[in-house]
Amino acid sequence: MDVYENFSREELIQRIKELETNLSQSAMNNADMEEMSENLANQRKINFLNILMNTILSNVFVAISVKDIFDGFKYIYFNQAAEDFTEVNASDVLGKTDFELYPDPRRAHEIRTEDYSTIKNGRTHKIMVEYEKPNGDIRIVNTIRLLITNPDPGASPLLLVMLWDVTEQRQNELDLIKAREADKMKNAFIANMSHEIRTPLNAIVGFSRLITETDNDSEQQEYLTIIDNNSSLLLQLINDILDFAKIESGTLNYNISYVDLKDICHEVYVSQSLKMTSDVALLYNGDLLPSVRLQTDAQRVEQVLLNLLSNAIKCTNQGFISLSYKLEDGFVRVSVTDTGIGIAREKQNAIFDRFVKLDEFRQGTGLGLSICKMIIEKLGGEIGVESEQGKGSCFWFTLPLSVPLAFPDEEDDNISDNIPEALPGQYTLLVAEDVLENYLLLQAVLKQQYRLIYATNGRQAVQMFKKYEPDLILMDIKMPVMDGFAATREIRELSSDVPVMALSAFAYDKEKEKAKECHFNDYLVKPVDIPLLKYKIKYYLNKNKK
């Protein structure tokens, strides 16, 4: 206090004021420092939380985007998952609207409608919906859309969209469902086949025993008819099962060749005419239809037609069944129409599915139409049905028209060099037949006496005639590449003496007349009478020898 002894009262008061001011300023500076330190800590915490949130949003597998509603629904946020899902960079999205991002304005309108719905309801949630990406790719997604209201007065509300891709998950679920359904269908199929196979077998076995116990001719004939019908049914069941197994394993063979649809339809019409009753007419105006050249598998087309006609015959008690075809742009459309029981509309979509039987009380595998569908699609066509219950049905399929196959050059055909030499005095017969089973039948009955050489088409028959000079030719009429008529005309230019006998399923006079014009020596109709065939072969060989 000695320092202040010489100060006047006024000076002392002034000094005290200065000291108080300095103390006050010091206290204030300390408070500012504390506040600044606290603000800095808070800012650091906020920055860390921002980094943390940005890291989370950038690495989460959910696509997240945010739109500013007051700014025309422009994107203001687009995370990494959104970039990966849409395959569009965030830099190309931010500041733009959906109308600027999607080439198709209809898709942008759909999204904008969803935006308005979310604004109205505050939230929308959709599970497993189709979502079209900007590049047009369709994915299955789950989505959540939220309206975020900004508490700052006058600030724009935001629209938050979150979605995640569940396409693979959905596909796995569908595959599992399909596998379970397939397992159910397979078990039902096995049980059904056991029943279907045992039914005709029961008739075959039972009437085979009865036929040995009766001497009555009419009863024997009746039993034979029953056995024959059930044998045909059993054979069809087995063929369907085998074809289905081959199609499933990808081993069903297709022999593509140049054929005439008119010939196929005619042959099917002839074979099915025998099955008609007096109350149902089978119509086929072949004379009014044009020839249609196709590159296809004639046997498989015939199989489809036989199946469709057989179904029509089973389901038609009166009226008619018609077989026809017409040319369309690049295709030929083949139709089988009937006036039968028809098919209910709700069942038409499943008619070509596997193991489907519209009438559980009718015998069959439920595979016939499914096999037809797989065959026609393999041949490049489509198959379908138009039907009204109680009024009839029209089953149709298409086959593509194409440029005709060129005949292969002679050096391109493979002729086996493994044919054994003829024994002394042994005659050589050339068999031209495209169906292996038919050749094997001839081989079984003729190989003990003759050397046989085998051609699978008319072109090959001509080449083998030139190479082996056979003593007699058994010529099928309907063959791929070159038919029997054309092959015989070429052979006749090389030899007028060699006997040529036609073996054909065509039994009409016009085919026989055409065979005469082509200088066939004889014409036998399939199924061939074996004793007659053997007699004819001996007759022409002896005649030619003289």
Side-chain angles (χ1 to χ4, degrees):
M1 293 297 294
D2 294 340
V3 179
Y4 303 104
E5 288 181 356
N6 296 324
F7 279 35
S8 65
R9 183 174 177 275
E10 290 77 10
E11 290 176 335
L12 185 59
I13 292 171
Q14 180 64 33
R15 186 62 177 167
I16 291 172
K17 288 182 177 179
E18 291 177 357
L19 288 172
E20 288 178 345
T21 299
N22 290 337
L23 288 172
S24 176
Q25 288 177 348
S26 176
M28 288 178 63
N29 288 337
N30 288 336
D32 288 344
M33 291 296 294
E34 290 178 2
E35 182 178 356
M36 288 177 61
S37 177
E38 184 178 352
N39 289 341
L40 182 60
N42 288 336
Q43 186 60 49
R44 287 176 177 173
K45 186 176 182 180
I46 291 171
N47 289 342
F48 174 73
L49 289 175
N50 286 337
I51 293 172
L52 176 62
M53 184 59 65
N54 188 57
T55 302
I56 293 172
L57 295 177
S58 297
N59 290 278
V60 73
F61 292 106
V62 177
I64 301 174
S65 61
V66 179
K67 301 176 186 178
D68 188 331
I69 294 177
F70 284 178
D71 192 16
F73 292 88
K74 291 180 179 178
Y75 286 91
I76 61 172
Y77 181 79
F78 206 72
N79 75 341
Q80 183 63 48
E83 290 186 353
D84 296 339
F85 175 75
T86 61
E87 300 178 6
V88 180
N89 293 329
S91 59
D92 297 326
V93 174
L94 299 179
K96 294 182 180 179
T97 69
D98 292 300
F99 288 93
E100 297 172 285
L101 294 175
Y102 285 87
D104 187 353
R106 292 175 298 180
R107 176 60 184 146
H109 277 293
E110 291 174 1
I111 297 176
R112 184 60 56 85
T113 301
E114 293 177 3
D115 291 343
Y116 284 136
S117 176
T118 304
I119 293 171
K120 179 180 178 180
N121 300 309
R123 174 189 175 98
T124 58
H125 186 197
K126 295 184 178 180
I127 298 176
M128 290 190 178
V129 294
E130 288 189 353
Y131 186 93
E132 182 180 346
K133 295 161 59 174
N135 63 4
D137 188 19
I138 303 294
R139 305 293 289 178
I140 305 298
V141 301
N142 292 343
T143 65
I144 296 177
R145 306 167 70 84
L146 298 171
L147 178 65
I148 309 298
T149 303
N150 195 323
D152 187 10
S156 172
L158 304 176
L159 191 66
L160 172 66
V161 180
M162 296 180 288
L163 64 85
W164 55 102
D165 192 340
V166 294
T167 306
E168 282 72 25
Q169 174 189 336
R170 179 59 175 165
Q171 187 59 50
N172 291 337
E173 291 175 358
L174 291 175
D175 290 342
L176 181 60
I177 292 172
K178 288 180 180 178
R180 288 173 178 170
E181 289 298 319
D183 191 53
K184 282 183 184 179
M185 294 175 72
K186 191 177 295 182
N187 291 335
F189 171 70
I190 292 172
N192 184 46
M193 285 306 97
S194 176
H195 173 269
E196 295 296 335
I197 291 174
R198 287 174 182 275
T199 300
L201 271 178
N202 180 64
I204 294 169
V205 173
F207 283 99
S208 295
R209 290 174 180 169
L210 286 177
I211 203 170
T212 63
E213 298 175 3
T214 180
D215 296 327
N216 187 297
D217 291 342
S218 62
E219 285 185 353
Q220 287 183 342
Q221 187 58 48
E222 181 183 356
Y223 297 163
L224 283 171
T225 301
I226 294 172
I227 292 170
D228 182 62
N229 291 339
N230 282 273
S231 297
S232 298
L233 176 60
L234 183 60
L235 181 61
Q236 183 60 51
L237 287 168
I238 293 171
N239 285 338
D240 282 351
I241 295 170
L242 292 176
D243 280 348
F244 177 73
K246 289 178 181 179
I247 291 172
E248 286 287 283
S249 62
T251 59
L252 186 67
N253 293 325
Y254 291 87
N255 299 312
I256 306 301
S257 61
Y258 186 26
V259 300
D260 192 334
L261 179 62
K262 187 173 183 177
D263 291 340
I264 299 173
C265 290
H266 176 77
E267 188 166 341
V268 170
Y269 165 73
V270 171
S271 66
Q272 296 301 293
S273 295
L274 304 174
K275 300 180 181 180
M276 305 307 297
T277 66
S278 58
D279 296 327
V280 182
L282 181 58
L283 308 178
Y284 172 65
N285 296 321
D287 294 337
L288 302 179
L289 295 174
S291 292
V292 179
R293 294 288 185 179
L294 301 173
Q295 285 187 32
T296 191
D297 187 325
Q299 184 179 353
R300 297 303 171 194
V301 175
E302 185 174 321
Q303 179 181 350
V304 172
L305 282 173
L306 287 172
N307 191 292
L308 297 182
L309 284 169
S310 295
N311 288 345
I313 292 171
K314 292 176 187 176
C315 298
T316 307
N317 296 322
Q318 60 182 3
F320 68 87
I321 298 169
S322 70
L323 170 61
S324 63
Y325 57 83
K326 62 179 180 179
L327 295 174
E328 296 180 348
D329 186 19
F331 289 85
V332 59
R333 182 185 180 99
V334 185
S335 302
V336 174
T337 306
D338 65 65
T339 56
I341 59 176
I343 305 166
R345 184 176 299 275
E346 64 271 13
K347 294 183 178 181
Q348 291 179 21
N349 290 334
I351 191 69
F352 294 100
D353 292 346
R354 303 169 184 178
F355 314 121
V356 171
K357 294 174 66 178
L358 296 183
D359 186 348
E360 292 298 329
F361 296 99
R362 290 185 182 272
Q363 291 180 304
T365 61
L367 289 173
L369 289 176
S370 174
I371 292 172
C372 289
K373 183 175 187 291
M374 289 185 277
I375 288 175
I376 291 300
E377 290 179 351
K378 182 70 174 180
L379 295 176
E382 297 179 351
I383 191 169
V385 62
E386 299 165 5
S387 183
E388 185 174 350
Q389 195 165 18
K391 294 187 176 180
S393 304
C394 175
F395 282 85
W396 57 266
F397 63 87
T398 62
L399 293 171
L401 300 172
S402 54
V403 179
L405 285 172
F407 286 147
D409 294 332
E410 292 187 7
E411 59 268 24
D412 292 337
D413 275 342
N414 295 321
I415 299 179
S416 175
D417 292 324
N418 298 324
I419 298 173
E421 293 291 330
L423 299 175
Q426 187 179 38
Y427 289 107
T428 298
L429 306 186
L430 168 60
V431 180
E433 170 62 66
D434 64 318
V435 179
L436 178 61
E437 289 79 1
N438 291 342
Y439 169 72
L440 293 177
L441 174 63
L442 295 175
Q443 184 186 53
V445 298
L446 299 176
K447 67 180 181 180
Q448 297 297 329
Q449 192 170 357
Y450 305 103
R451 179 178 73 145
L452 301 182
I453 55 177
Y454 176 39
T456 59
N457 59 65
R459 172 60 63 186
Q460 196 176 73
V462 175
Q463 295 170 225
M464 296 188 80
F465 175 78
K466 294 178 181 177
K467 183 173 183 178
Y468 294 103
E469 297 182 352
D471 300 291
L472 182 142
I473 302 173
L474 300 176
M475 181 75 73
D476 185 23
I477 296 300
K478 179 175 171 283
M479 290 185 292
V481 182
M482 178 185 287
D483 64 24
F485 293 130
T488 301
R489 281 195 293 265
E490 289 201 15
I491 289 172
R492 282 292 176 239
E493 292 178 0
L494 302 171
S495 171
S496 61
D497 298 327
V498 62
V500 182
M501 296 171 56
L503 300 181
S504 176
F506 291 111
Y508 283 83
D509 290 338
K510 65 178 182 179
E511 278 79 23
K512 295 179 180 179
E513 289 298 323
K514 189 173 182 180
K516 289 181 181 179
E517 295 173 2
C518 297
H519 302 292
F520 280 80
N521 295 87
D522 214 322
Y523 194 105
L524 299 183
V525 177
K526 297 175 182 176
V528 177
D529 183 329
I530 298 301
L532 177 62
L533 173 64
K534 289 182 175 180
Y535 168 77
K536 293 277 188 178
I537 291 174
K538 288 183 178 180
Y539 171 78
Y540 285 110
L541 288 174
N542 291 332
K543 182 180 179 181
N544 200 45
K545 185 177 180 180
K546 295 176 183 180

